[in-house]
Amino acid sequence: MPLVKECVFCKIIRGEIPCCKVYEDDLILAFLDIAPFNIGHTVIIPKDHQNSITTLDEIYANRIIKMAPKIGVALMRTINAEGFNLFLNNGSVAGQTVWHCHMHVLPRFAGDKVVISSEPMKYDSMDQMAELAGKLFNKLNA
Ligand code: AMP
Ligand code: ZN
């Protein structure tokens, strides 16, 4: 994982490499993705180098989640997107390739070529499902 010095998104924040900026404030920066899934695909990054959303201070996370729908609406109004996906890949197994956490805003158009699909799985039983929910609930509500 790259240090702040070599991180491509930190370089963008410092103005060492260019980006097509769509929004900036004291905490976050948003710019067009260089390899978009659809025209207008935007990434929002915190101005703090954290590999993972799990260590990102909530002041940054809150600002990202506040701005994401506003950027989505701006994309709808500007390029006539009909909706948008918000997603965040956390960890290489989840598809993360840039180790400075970021949220994607992906504008969607009827009939576009974007594929987000997976075969649904099944729990063995309702008991198995309830047991897992219980374990998670106990951790999250402790
Ligand atoms: P992820 O796979 O979730 O880590 O997403 C990283 C995203 O950053 C990819 O969609 C890349 O296309 C995008 N990206 C990487 N370098 C740049 C760059 N210099 N400018 C804009 N987007 C970039
Ligand atoms: Zn960084």
Side-chain angles (χ1 to χ4, degrees):
M1 288 180 199
L3 303 169
V4 177
K5 201 161 167 279
E6 293 103 45
C7 170
V8 63
F9 285 176
C10 284
K11 286 184 179 174
I12 288 174
I13 291 167
R14 293 196 298 266
E16 292 168 12
I17 59 175
C19 74
C20 288
K21 189 189 299 184
V22 304
Y23 177 78
E24 181 168 20
D25 63 27
D26 54 332
L27 297 175
I28 65 170
L29 176 64
F31 49 88
L32 295 182
D33 194 303
I34 204 163
F37 295 170
N38 261 337
I39 296 305
H41 183 170
T42 297
V43 287
I44 313 175
I45 66 173
K47 290 183 175 178
D48 180 34
H49 180 85
Q50 296 293 325
N51 298 149
S52 167
I53 185 75
T54 61
T55 54
L56 186 67
D57 190 284
E58 69 181 34
I59 192 172
Y60 295 97
N62 288 346
R63 187 66 60 81
I64 289 171
I65 206 67
K66 177 182 169 190
M67 286 312 300
K70 291 184 195 290
I71 292 169
V73 168
L75 287 164
M76 293 175 73
R77 291 189 177 150
T78 308
I79 55 173
N80 296 322
E82 293 153 83
F84 53 89
N85 293 104
L86 302 179
F87 63 97
L88 187 152
N89 300 327
N90 202 74
S92 49
V93 75
Q96 185 173 2
T97 58
V98 175
W99 296 97
H100 179 131
C101 74
H102 53 279
M103 176 165 278
H104 296 255
V105 186
L106 176 61
R108 298 301 304 271
F109 305 88
D112 66 23
K113 298 280 187 282
V114 176
V115 180
I116 301 174
S117 100
S118 187
E119 278 294 307
M121 294 180 77
K122 273 195 179 137
Y123 289 97
D124 293 339
S125 64
M126 281 307 292
D127 283 351
Q128 186 201 27
M129 192 173 171
E131 186 188 333
L132 174 58
K135 285 180 184 166
L136 292 169
F137 187 93
N138 289 340
K139 280 209 168 60
L140 292 167
N141 293 273

